[in-house]
Amino acid sequence: MAKPSKTPVVFAPWEDETQKPIIQFKNVTKRFGNFTAIDNLSLDIFEREFFALLGPSGCGKTTIMRMLAGFEAVTEGTILLGGKDISPVPPNKRPVNMMFQSYALFPHLSVWDNIAFGLRRSSMPKDEIGARVDEMLRLTRMEKFAKRKPHQISGGQRQRVALARSLAKAPKLLLLDEPLGALDKKLRHDTQFELMDIQEKTGTTFVIVTHDQEEAMTVASRVAVMDHGKLIQVATPAAIYETPNCVYVADFIGDVNLIEGNSKKVGSDKYEVSWAEGQAALHGSCPREIADGTRVTYAIRPEKVAISADKPKDAANAIQGTVHDIAYLGNISTYHVMLPNGQVIKAQESNTRRLANRHFTWEDPVWLSFTDTAGVILTE
Amino acid sequence: MNYRRLFLIGVPYVWLLALFLVPFIIVLKISLSDIALSIPPYTPTLDLSEGWAGIKDFFSKLDFDNFLFLKTDPLYWKAYVSSLQIAIFSTAITLLVGYPIAYGMARAPEEWRATLMMMVILPFWTSFLIRVYSWMGILGKEGFLNSALMWLGIVDEPLTILNTNTAVYIGIVYTYLPFMILPIYAALDKLDISLLEAAEDLGCTRTSAFWLVTLPLSRPGIVAGSFLVFIPVIGEFVIPSLLGGSNTLMIGKILFEEFSSNRDWPVASAVAVLLLLIVVVPIVLFQRSQERQAEAQK
Ligand SMILES: Nc1ncnc2c1ncn2[C@@H]1O[C@H](COP(=O)(O)OP(=O)(O)OP(=O)(O)O)[C@@H](O)[C@H]1O
Ligand SMILES: [Mg+2]
């Protein structure tokens, strides 16, 4: 979720006309040979943002980072940093540090020297460098491994060294390419909060690539979902989750049930979706105008679908089916309910009772219900 | 220990024993013998028909006289020192010339590399002797180099290059350059480009990234290349005798003269044994540095 700032004012510079973005991509295209890695992309990122890039492998996330860090030149368009075109600025002159997806630790230097590498290139006095490196080691809990070489530590530890090395110089803009992927869950959570804390203190702008949507949800002020070098949706994590603008985003972030049908307008922004013969139409809303008869997708998250033995009295949407499968995930259970037309809908319930006292079991006839505001109607 | 493993370990050891240790023991034995006008031209020879007494007699006749003789004539130690000097200098020059070439090869577009590699190895397709002889044609008073320099008006009189130490250096650097280039190229080729990007990202210029990252990481290649050049150059014989002058002192030349002109096999063998000791020390150092490297890479 968007990080609540200390003041009650919500941090949302992208909604403020007077705010100047720190990074501006203006119609940026990047081609490798005749392969288009980034396709006419425009994007504003604001100071103190924690901007997350999400997307399938090969969609161009690393390429965006590398263009910001200065390792790839744009083919078309411009990238502005603080209002200035950065294309003529070499990587070592940019106020940007990058954590590489491959870590790129110097194999001939110890962990300590790796972290100190960037500081030594600056005009920082020696004793301050020592203090700063020790601080970074403490932050990433690598104090015990300071003297080791990169090949003498584990994959997760290497990742932490790479993170420490990029954080050490406290740059204006930090690019983190999957910074926490190799860490265990607990360490990852702790590090996420450390990162947010660092940002709070230093006001650094973060651009972070992640495959972990939970991470994006936790740390990001905004999330960009990408596909094939294009931005599909850029919005706050909550907006991405609750109101995805297309099937791709809905499907990419979290678990979702997708029901296809034909729409019909029934109110100002209310629509009906008829999805199967002999089944009641689904009710939902869409802020955009949809012509009657358009093929649409009704998207509903499993946790918004309630499951019950009897038909609920005043639910806007109710569908009958049989329990096809139950996935027990500890804190929650996911029921896979088969509808008469063969489609399987997932419904999630939190396990407030012990396993033995579970309501439903395989082949039980059940009712699924949800309100008319729970789902969204998507046209793409 | 199973037999398969024993066999696998055994083969290289038998190989070393037959091709290195046995010849060395023979040479060592000759170096402890005395010169004689016979075939072979030294004495004593082991005569097993006389049994135990023969063996005792044989060993009693071996002595260190030849090594003591090497000490009396300053020619020998001067030749050793001069050989070492030439080997050290030419290794340094080969490194200075070879490193940029290897670097250029490793940074060349992928599709060119095979061709460039081919060009480095190509000279090996012709005989080494022919290549050294052709340098005589190039470096001589009326050679190509002098003709070209005079035609360009850079010099008025032909330069004396052939039969000097300069010609020896040129010949050595030319001959041994591939041995320097290949291991350095191998090290540079392995170098991950993202390390240089990381260095630049952290504030290095291209030049300082080279000194701080590229050079330290190509060290194993530099060490290997230097030994591959240094060790054979110490004992080099063909190049100094064909391109060098009368004042080019190299131990390989002395060795050859003792063997063939003087037919003094025992002294020649003593020279060879000492040379081996000079070469073995760097090899041991090399081995140890390689081991340390391997340990660091683990
Ligand atoms: N130097 C290059 N030459 C040719 N194609 C490249 C080059 N670098 C990247 N690409 C291509 O550009 C596309 C985007 O690559 P990029 O590394 O940005 O993906 P990514 O989103 O970071 O993927 P991942 O999540 O797997 O890291 C890929 O299809 C990749 O094959
Ligand atoms: Mg990537």
Side-chain angles (χ1 to χ4, degrees):
Chain A
M1 297 291 283
K3 182 159 57 66
S5 50
K6 294 258 158 67
T7 50
V9 183
V10 180
F11 175 76
W14 51 90
E15 283 172 355
D16 185 348
E17 294 283 316
T18 60
Q19 288 277 348
K20 277 244 165 69
I22 179 170
I23 304 166
Q24 279 177 288
F25 280 75
K26 290 194 166 165
N27 305 94
V28 171
T29 295
K30 173 72 197 177
R31 289 193 201 92
F32 295 106
N34 50 17
F35 174 80
T36 307
I38 299 295
D39 192 359
N40 192 17
L41 178 141
S42 293
L43 172 67
D44 289 348
I45 298 174
F46 294 84
E47 204 164 334
R48 309 182 72 95
E49 261 209 84
F50 211 122
F51 195 89
L53 288 172
L54 239 69
S57 184
C59 71
K61 304 179 296 291
T62 300
T63 308
I64 288 185
M65 299 285 217
R66 289 175 57 81
M67 289 193 296
L68 277 171
F71 303 126
E72 304 284 1
V74 297
T75 316
E76 280 161 30
T78 40
I79 301 175
L80 307 179
L81 182 68
K84 280 196 213 88
D85 184 0
I86 51 168
S87 59
V89 186
N92 56 332
K93 296 270 159 46
R94 297 189 184 191
V96 175
N97 279 144
M98 172 156 166
M99 175 187 163
F100 288 70
Q101 193 170 11
S102 61
Y103 313 153
L105 298 178
F106 303 119
H108 58 299
L109 298 179
S110 67
V111 166
W112 205 95
D113 289 324
N114 260 285
I115 298 174
F117 192 94
L119 300 172
R120 289 195 173 128
R121 309 280 91 71
S122 64
S123 54
M124 193 183 256
K126 251 211 171 94
D127 45 334
E128 269 177 55
I129 292 179
R132 180 78 184 153
V133 173
D134 290 338
E135 190 189 332
M136 288 299 118
L137 284 170
R138 220 171 14 253
L139 187 71
T140 49
R141 302 190 199 155
M142 290 294 295
E143 301 104 314
K144 272 188 274 171
F145 307 97
K147 288 210 181 66
R148 302 241 190 124
K149 292 275 177 69
H151 60 86
Q152 294 164 323
I153 55 179
S154 76
Q157 290 167 341
R158 254 173 255 165
Q159 193 168 39
R160 280 185 272 161
V161 177
L163 181 62
R165 189 178 69 177
S166 62
L167 290 173
K169 280 183 103 170
K172 238 171 56 189
L173 174 61
L174 242 169
L175 310 171
L176 307 177
D177 202 341
E178 289 194 37
L180 313 174
L183 305 186
D184 61 77
K185 197 164 175 160
K186 176 144 187 346
L187 192 56
R188 185 170 345 166
H189 275 243
D190 291 352
T191 316
Q192 281 165 6
F193 283 105
E194 292 285 5
L195 287 181
M196 287 158 73
D197 204 42
I198 289 173
Q199 199 207 26
E200 187 100 339
K201 281 197 206 120
T202 61
T204 305
T205 308
F206 282 71
V207 178
I208 174 172
V209 169
T210 174
H211 277 294
D212 177 2
Q213 41 155 315
E214 195 184 321
E215 182 170 294
M217 296 286 167
T218 316
V219 298
S221 60
R222 279 192 303 161
V223 175
V225 180
M226 293 184 64
D227 191 28
H228 287 110
K230 280 188 181 345
L231 293 175
I232 308 297
Q233 187 173 11
V234 182
T236 61
I240 292 260
Y241 191 78
E242 300 292 345
T243 54
N245 65 1
C246 63
V247 175
Y248 178 81
V249 173
D251 203 18
F252 192 80
I253 308 284
D255 221 353
V256 72
N257 296 302
L258 299 170
I259 305 168
E260 272 189 50
N262 296 320
S263 76
K264 188 174 150 226
K265 190 163 175 152
V266 292
S268 62
D269 61 345
K270 299 253 183 272
Y271 294 87
E272 262 183 17
V273 178
S274 43
W275 58 282
E277 282 296 317
Q279 294 277 350
L282 300 173
H283 298 267
S285 58
C286 179
R288 291 178 304 275
E289 195 66 28
I290 308 171
D292 284 358
T294 310
R295 197 76 185 153
V296 294
T297 306
Y298 193 94
I300 175 108
R301 303 275 177 202
E303 74 275 11
K304 297 202 169 74
V305 180
I307 185 165
S308 56
D310 306 314
K311 182 171 181 174
K313 282 209 182 64
D314 36 39
N317 298 298
I319 315 172
Q320 198 176 21
T322 52
V323 176
H324 180 62
D325 201 1
I326 305 172
Y328 175 71
L329 302 171
N331 53 345
I332 53 167
S333 287
T334 304
Y335 296 88
H336 296 240
V337 176
M338 173 101 78
L339 305 187
N341 68 348
Q343 188 171 4
V344 174
I345 299 285
K346 282 177 259 179
Q348 244 165 29
E349 286 235 306
S350 52
N351 291 326
T352 44
R353 300 162 183 239
R354 296 282 292 277
L355 203 53
N357 306 335
R358 208 155 51 182
H359 291 297
F360 310 107
T361 180
W362 283 265
E363 305 303 332
D364 275 358
V366 290
W367 281 90
L368 300 174
S369 57
F370 42 94
T371 65
D372 57 352
T373 52
V376 286
I377 298 172
L378 304 168
T379 49
E380 281 173 50
Chain B
M1 180 87 94
N2 59 37
Y3 291 103
R4 223 177 103 87
R5 264 185 75 176
L6 210 64
F7 178 76
L8 279 177
I9 299 170
V11 168
Y13 273 95
V14 170
W15 180 273
L16 279 178
L17 196 75
L19 294 175
F20 182 76
L21 200 62
V22 171
F24 174 72
I25 288 172
I26 294 172
V27 170
L28 184 66
K29 187 254 146 194
I30 298 175
S31 75
L32 301 175
S33 313
D34 295 318
I35 187 164
L37 286 172
S38 61
I39 293 173
Y42 53 83
T43 176
T45 47
L46 186 57
D47 189 358
L48 285 179
S49 61
E50 285 181 33
W52 181 239
I55 295 173
K56 252 169 80 177
D57 184 47
F58 169 77
F59 275 103
S60 68
K61 282 187 184 153
L62 295 179
D63 53 47
F64 286 95
D65 284 355
N66 297 314
F67 289 94
L68 296 176
F69 170 70
L70 293 187
K71 252 178 65 183
T72 59
D73 192 338
L75 174 76
Y76 294 106
W77 67 259
K78 274 186 184 154
Y80 278 118
V81 170
S82 156
S83 291
L84 268 178
Q85 219 171 16
I86 291 179
I88 289 170
F89 275 128
S90 45
T91 304
I93 300 170
T94 316
L95 177 62
L96 289 180
V97 176
Y99 197 98
I101 297 177
Y103 187 86
M105 279 169 67
R107 291 285 171 280
E110 195 90 40
E111 60 268 24
W112 289 12
R113 289 191 201 159
T115 318
L116 291 171
M117 177 77 99
M118 196 66 193
M119 284 165 69
V120 170
I121 307 173
L122 204 62
F124 290 120
W125 257 263
T126 42
S127 153
F128 164 60
L129 266 181
I130 290 176
R131 284 183 286 135
V132 177
Y133 270 113
S134 61
W135 273 108
M136 293 171 77
I138 296 171
L139 299 176
K141 273 250 157 52
E142 262 106 62
F144 290 124
L145 184 64
N146 274 319
S147 320
L149 287 179
M150 291 193 10
W151 183 77
L152 288 170
I154 296 172
V155 293
D156 299 327
E157 272 176 33
L159 299 171
T160 316
I161 303 174
L162 192 60
N163 301 331
T164 64
N165 277 0
T166 314
V168 174
Y169 280 120
I170 292 175
I172 289 175
V173 170
Y174 162 76
T175 307
Y176 288 94
L177 199 56
F179 297 102
M180 185 63 89
I181 292 178
L182 294 179
I184 295 178
Y185 170 74
L188 287 174
D189 194 41
K190 268 195 306 194
L191 191 115
D192 184 359
I193 298 294
S194 69
L195 293 180
L196 298 176
E197 291 179 342
E200 276 189 65
D201 188 64
L202 293 166
C204 277
T205 58
R206 289 268 161 101
T207 331
S208 59
F210 174 83
W211 289 109
L212 292 167
V213 179
T214 310
L215 199 64
L217 289 176
S218 54
R219 211 188 67 106
I222 295 176
V223 172
S226 299
F227 277 98
L228 284 177
V229 173
F230 180 78
I231 291 168
V233 166
I234 288 190
E236 183 55 56
F237 153 68
V238 175
I239 297 171
S241 38
L242 293 184
L243 300 179
S246 51
N247 59 352
T248 305
L249 260 185
M250 278 195 83
I251 205 70
K253 237 169 96 178
I254 305 269
L255 199 65
F256 177 78
E257 275 159 19
E258 292 292 354
F259 258 114
S260 58
S261 318
N262 296 356
R263 267 189 83 74
D264 191 344
W265 286 27
V267 167
S269 299
V271 171
V273 169
L274 271 189
L275 178 60
L276 189 77
L277 290 181
I278 293 177
V279 176
V280 159
V281 175
I283 289 181
V284 170
L285 287 177
F286 176 53
Q287 285 288 43
R288 287 211 359 220
S289 100
Q290 288 294 82
E291 262 159 38
R292 232 177 301 136
Q293 203 75 35
E295 220 149 277
Q297 229 89 104
K298 241 179 265 164

